[in-house]
Structure formats: structure tokens, C-alpha cells
Amino acid sequence: MHKIEKLFDINTLLMTLFSSLETIREEKGIELIYDMQATIPRELRGDSAVLLRLLTKILTFVFQNTDKKEIILSLEAPEDFMYEEPISFKIQKTNIDKEKILKFLETNLSKDLEMLEGKIIYERDVDIYLDIPFMINELGYRRHYRLPAASMLGKKVLLIGESEQVSQSIKKMFNYFLYDVDVGLDAFKSKGNDLTPYDILIIEDKYNTEELEHIIARVQQNIPLKYVLLQDDHHVEHKTISVSTHLIKPATEESVFELIVSLFKNEKDHREIRIQTKENIVDLEKILQVHKHNEKHVNPSTKYEENLKSMIEKRREIDLPVLDTKTGEENTKKMGLKYANELKNFLDSFDRSDIYFREIVNEKSIHKIKEFCIDLEKHAKLIGAENILKLAETVSLIFVYNKLELLPIYPGKYHIELQKLITEIKKELRIK
């Protein structure tokens, strides 16, 4: 079998993997963490499509069968990656029966492993352990990420995250660039609650408050502290007074590299001597504990629901025409149809459909809701019914993420929008 040796970026593959697992991750409320050794080359040669398929199969199986809320995918490689070396992919502590895991690996991965020339490693303390050989893109290339300026070297980071495992994974990635990283409030307290030595402050976005932002902004008047929010990929950004940028989970070596470059690309080459002042003393523990005390515990699925609601709210703010005849005429013309005929077809198909929609929502008939939304979107888009189209897309969004409990308000909304649209169509067709 001919082995494919195409060039690919391991970070891009890992982010694609993360996105492809979005639905099951959110359904199970599982956080996927990448733990990458500094020896992993940035660019590799091999069959990335098969590797992506294999890792997707593995993580889908793990997510379906684990009761853990954090799963770590570890990537390890030899210290001297000379030419072609094995990369180890490991997953530990899944709480899945070992025999079930081995049966899955041997039954479902054999073809992909053969194509990659990989093998299963049987080790008692590791649930899943695969060795897959890849070629390095550039021979003798030891440092896979090189900071472009001296001003980016020798920085100190304070990292305060919700998950210890996520924090330690990110710390390891900063350590690659020889950054000194303190993790957690205890480490910060041991330094006297003083932000003066730090170049970067990274805090989980759920802990961020307007009060904290004002405190950090005051500190930033004294020292060039970069304030970074650690956030998941569904976070809706808002304007802030002190936040420099965001680090999106799951972090990879490349995303940390890009973060550093973006933060310090305009810095001078020398580091200013900083003088400790009382203004840089901040009791972060007190601030964050107050925030946690006031905040009800939110599990991952509830947090995701809140972010989904935010996306829906943004859609509501968009002001669209009830019937955009110009767009509708262009759409029908492209398809060789007559606009007036399609308006009549919409009336025939969807007049009184608000009653049917209310019924299937009350029944929570998933299949019927899906079919109705697809049909409504198709016809609404064709005739330029922009407002109805937006509503149908929003309902589809709720359906896709299996949040049917958010649906009850939409039959009423659809009734109102449908009546407006029917009135506009009748005006266009001059029907009384």
C-alpha cells in the first residue's frame, strides 16, 4: 500500500478535530484538552485525512462511553526528531472498561492504522496508546516555533483558570518559549498579590467582571500588563477597557505562539525596570471569590445554552424587510421561474402553516420540525422573505443544538411574521 506523504500543520488538524466533535462535546459537557510536548514538529508529512478520521473515531468512542468531564489527548515525540519518527497519541483516565477499549481499537481502527503504518501500544496505565510514524518537513529543524523579536523573550505569566488540567497544559506551551508561568491564586498570593513582575495575566473569561477590568486598567497605567481572557469558542465578545486579546480553548502550541506575537509585536527590544508600588497589589482571590459566590454554579450544558441564547439575541437585533421583492425577483429569474408564480406557491403552501407549526412544537416532533424549517427556509429565501428566513434559521439553530425547551415562544412569533408576510404578498399580487 502506497503511503501518502503530504505536508500538513498538526495544529490545524487538531483544531479541525475539535470542531468536528463539537456536537457530541456539547451534548456530553466534555472539555477536550490538548497536551502537546515541545518536541512535536509544527509541520509533518503524512496522510492527515486518515489521521483526522482515526482521531475522530477514537474521541467519538471515548465521549460516548466516558463519564469524565475532561479528556486529555496527549501528543509525544522523541527529543531528536531526525527524519521519520513515531508520534504517540495517548488518552488516559477515561473510566471506560479496558476490554471494551481494546475491542474497539482492534475492530474499528485496523484499516486506518495500516494506512498510517501505525500500531496499538498495550500499556497497563494508558487507556489508548497509538504510535504513528511521521516525517519531519525540514531536516535538522529543532526549534519548531521561533519568536521573531528579542522583545518577545523572557516574559512572566500569571494564569488563573477554572481547570487545573487546562492550566497545566497551557503552562507547558508557554514553557516552550522559556516563559516563567505561575498557575493559580496560591502562587500569586505567595508573591504578595503583586502584579508588577508579570507581563501577561490570563484569566478564565467566566471570572471576568467590570470591576476586575477597571482594577486591571488602573494597574495598566503603571505597568505594561497584557490582560488575556481564556475562553471557549462560543464566547460572544464584548467591548472591554483593559482586555488585550483572547486565548481560545483548546490551546495549541501554535495558538500560544500567535498570542505572544500579537501581544508584543510593537514592543521595544529592552524591558523596562519596574518599581513595585501599592497600586499594583491586587487581591485577586477576594475579587474572584466574590464573583464565584454571586454566580450560581453553571454546568457546561447550561453555559452553552446561555451562549446559544446570546447568538439568538444577536439575530433578533437584525432588522430585515418582510418581503424584499428585488432579491426575490433576482432569485427566481436565476432559476428560470416567474416571481408572481412563486409568491402564489408560497401562499398555497404556507397559509395557515402557523397552526401546524404550533402543533409540532407542542408535540416536540423533532423530525417534523426539522422538515418544516428546511422547507420554510427554502421557500422564504427564494421569494426574498428575509424576516421569515431569519426566524426559520433561528429555529433551526435551536433544533441543531437540541435545545427544544427554547422553542415555545416561536409559534407566536411565527404567527405574527407569517401574517405580515401574507399581507405583503397579497399587496404584491394585488389580492384583496
Side-chain angles (χ1 to χ4, degrees):
M1 185 179 292
H2 178 67
K3 186 178 178 181
I4 295 176
E5 296 177 354
K6 289 184 178 179
L7 180 66
F8 69 95
D9 187 320
I10 187 65
N11 299 276
T12 302
L13 183 142
L14 291 175
M15 295 313 295
T16 303
L17 174 66
F18 185 81
S19 298
S20 69
L21 295 164
E22 179 178 31
T23 301
I24 190 169
R25 282 191 296 102
E26 299 298 349
E27 283 178 356
K28 297 294 293 290
I30 297 173
E31 178 138 35
L32 174 60
I33 303 166
Y34 294 141
D35 185 18
M36 301 174 67
Q37 276 192 347
T39 53
I40 300 293
R42 185 179 191 174
E43 293 183 327
L44 297 165
R45 289 191 175 277
D47 195 332
S48 59
V50 174
L51 176 61
L52 177 61
R53 183 172 68 219
L54 179 139
L55 293 177
T56 301
K57 287 181 183 177
I58 291 171
L59 285 167
T60 299
F61 166 80
V62 171
F63 291 168
Q64 287 173 339
N65 293 279
T66 188
D67 58 0
K68 304 285 282 186
K69 292 305 176 185
E70 291 183 331
I71 293 296
I72 302 175
L73 174 62
S74 300
L75 283 74
E76 302 173 3
E79 189 69 31
D80 294 322
F81 207 111
M82 299 299 294
Y83 176 63
E84 183 178 68
E85 303 289 350
I87 292 182
S88 300
F89 298 84
K90 299 180 181 180
I91 301 177
Q92 296 173 270
K93 300 177 181 178
T94 62
N95 283 1
I96 304 173
D97 181 73
K98 197 64 181 279
E99 287 187 10
K100 185 174 184 179
I101 291 174
L102 292 178
K103 183 179 179 181
F104 165 79
L105 295 178
E106 293 169 352
T107 305
N108 295 275
L109 302 185
S110 57
K111 184 177 180 181
D112 289 340
L113 281 173
E114 182 183 354
M115 293 174 71
L116 293 168
E117 297 182 358
K119 59 183 179 180
I120 301 169
I121 305 297
Y122 299 92
E123 191 171 297
R124 180 179 298 178
D125 297 331
V126 183
D127 289 355
I128 297 174
Y129 186 167
L130 305 177
D131 266 358
I132 303 173
F134 290 97
M135 295 174 64
I136 195 168
N137 182 45
E138 186 177 343
L139 295 181
Y141 190 40
R142 291 290 179 270
R143 296 292 293 175
H144 308 300
Y145 301 87
R146 293 173 177 169
L147 295 174
S151 60
M152 299 177 185
L153 303 173
K155 304 296 185 183
K156 188 171 178 64
V157 181
L158 174 60
L159 172 57
I160 299 173
E162 183 178 23
S163 164
E164 178 67 21
Q165 294 190 107
V166 171
S167 297
Q168 291 300 326
S169 170
I170 294 172
K171 176 182 179 179
K172 185 182 293 186
M173 294 174 193
F174 274 105
N175 288 160
Y176 175 87
F177 301 102
L178 306 181
Y179 276 34
D180 184 12
V181 184
D182 287 338
V183 174
L185 290 169
D186 289 342
F188 182 55
K189 282 173 64 180
S190 70
K191 304 292 175 63
N193 288 337
D194 184 16
L195 286 171
T196 304
Y198 297 101
D199 299 280
I200 306 173
L201 169 62
I202 303 176
I203 288 184
E204 191 94 29
D205 66 332
K206 68 176 293 181
Y207 298 147
N208 186 52
T209 63
E210 188 174 344
E211 176 194 5
L212 180 57
E213 286 185 22
H214 281 283
I215 291 170
I216 299 302
R218 185 199 70 206
V219 172
Q220 287 171 333
Q221 292 176 356
N222 305 320
I223 58 174
L225 179 69
K226 310 296 185 183
Y227 182 31
V228 177
L229 293 185
L230 178 62
Q231 64 182 54
D232 63 52
D233 57 336
H234 292 294
H235 181 84
V236 179
E237 293 186 17
H238 59 283
K239 293 181 179 180
T240 61
I241 61 172
S242 58
V243 175
S244 305
T245 188
H246 305 78
L247 178 60
I248 307 297
K249 294 185 287 184
T252 64
E253 200 72 70
E254 188 158 297
S255 65
V256 170
F257 170 78
E258 291 172 349
L259 173 72
I260 292 171
V261 173
S262 69
L263 289 175
F264 300 108
K265 60 186 175 183
N266 297 319
E267 293 285 304
K268 298 176 183 178
D269 282 346
H270 66 279
R271 192 172 190 269
E272 298 177 1
I273 298 174
R274 300 181 182 181
I275 300 174
Q276 180 178 348
T277 72
K278 290 183 178 180
E279 293 178 337
N280 297 338
I281 306 297
V282 177
D283 190 347
L284 285 176
E285 182 177 43
K286 182 178 180 182
I287 295 168
L288 298 183
Q289 287 298 329
V290 168
H291 175 59
K292 288 168 73 175
H293 178 72
N294 292 334
E295 179 190 65
K296 292 181 179 179
H297 178 70
V298 181
N299 62 40
S301 61
T302 305
K303 180 180 178 182
Y304 185 68
E305 181 177 319
E306 289 173 356
N307 289 326
L308 179 60
K309 287 179 179 177
S310 296
M311 286 190 281
I312 292 170
E313 286 300 322
K314 290 185 76 174
R315 285 171 173 263
R316 287 177 183 168
E317 294 169 4
I318 302 172
D319 188 21
L320 296 171
V322 175
L323 183 63
D324 186 340
T325 54
K326 184 178 179 181
T327 299
E329 286 172 352
E330 289 175 355
N331 291 341
T332 51
K333 186 177 180 180
K334 287 177 184 176
M335 298 180 67
L337 303 170
K338 290 185 178 180
Y339 187 50
N341 289 345
E342 294 310 311
L343 291 176
K344 290 176 184 175
N345 287 339
F346 187 91
L347 282 180
D348 292 340
S349 300
F350 291 95
D351 188 20
R352 300 178 65 81
S353 62
D354 49 338
I355 298 172
Y356 172 72
F357 181 57
R358 185 179 296 278
E359 288 175 356
I360 60 177
V361 168
N362 289 339
E363 294 169 0
K364 294 186 178 179
S365 178
I366 294 175
H367 181 68
K368 290 180 181 178
I369 294 171
K370 181 178 180 180
E371 283 190 337
F372 179 80
C373 288
I374 292 172
D375 200 31
L376 181 60
E377 285 183 42
K378 175 183 168 185
H379 284 80
K381 185 174 183 179
L382 179 63
I383 66 172
E386 301 291 343
N387 230 14
I388 283 282
L389 176 60
K390 179 187 70 173
L391 188 144
E393 288 175 341
T394 302
V395 173
S396 294
L397 184 67
I398 294 170
F399 169 76
V400 165
Y401 294 112
N402 198 26
K403 293 294 179 182
L404 296 183
E405 64 270 21
L406 303 180
L407 277 175
I409 64 170
Y410 283 92
K413 289 180 177 294
Y414 179 59
H415 170 75
I416 294 170
E417 295 303 329
L418 181 64
Q419 294 308 308
K420 290 180 185 176
L421 179 58
I422 289 174
T423 300
E424 291 300 312
I425 291 175
K426 286 183 175 179
K427 284 182 183 177
E428 187 66 22
L429 295 175
R430 296 178 183 176
I431 299 174
K432 294 183 180 180

